[in-house]
Amino acid sequence: MTSATWIAYIDGSALPNPGRMRIGGIAYAPDGASHRFSQALGHTGCNNEAEAVAAIHALTWLQGMGAREVLLHTDSSILAAQMAEPAAKPIARLAALYEQARALRASFVQLEVRWVPRHKNTVADALARGEAAPADDAVDAAAMTSMA
């Protein structure tokens, strides 16, 4: 990764699971600016579906912002495995979503997806639950510097 790398944290939730889905995330631009999203989805599904939709949303948005290098953090080990090359064993019900997320890889010069524990994904987790994100991004910023 270089100084031109965007660093993003994403999360998806379904309450109950399965249930109403929400997605959220935060992206740190190379200039240090942060950009957040928090959105309720119009249908129900499971946590794994919400995580994949969060990845698609974030990668599409980053593509539109002109990001060429991205380090994407998720607390979903399933999403991280599905985004790996070669991808993990397909999950039939969600195969189309994971394929859509993987197809976005071609939009970037470099895309790395890393699993992080939930306690290092607090801002994205709060945004995905529709809660106010912690006022201080220090938890994710600290994770950003220790994980990069």
Side-chain angles (χ1 to χ4, degrees), residues 34-114:
S34 64
H35 308 272
R36 300 168 184 233
F37 67 91
S38 179
Q39 177 180 337
L41 303 180
H43 58 285
T44 61
C46 69
N47 282 344
N48 293 328
E49 181 179 357
E51 296 277 0
V53 172
I56 292 165
H57 178 87
L59 293 173
T60 301
W61 178 83
L62 288 163
Q63 175 187 24
M65 292 295 291
R68 302 298 297 145
E69 298 176 18
V70 175
L71 175 55
L72 183 70
H73 297 86
T74 176
D75 59 22
S76 168
S77 60
I78 293 171
L79 176 63
Q82 289 294 320
M83 291 296 291
E85 290 188 61
K89 181 180 175 183
I91 300 171
R93 188 178 68 75
L94 301 175
L97 275 177
Y98 290 130
E99 184 54 38
Q100 185 179 353
R102 282 190 297 271
L104 288 165
R105 185 181 309 280
S107 303
F108 303 97
V109 171
Q110 184 168 3
L111 172 62
E112 182 178 342
V113 179
R114 287 188 190 168

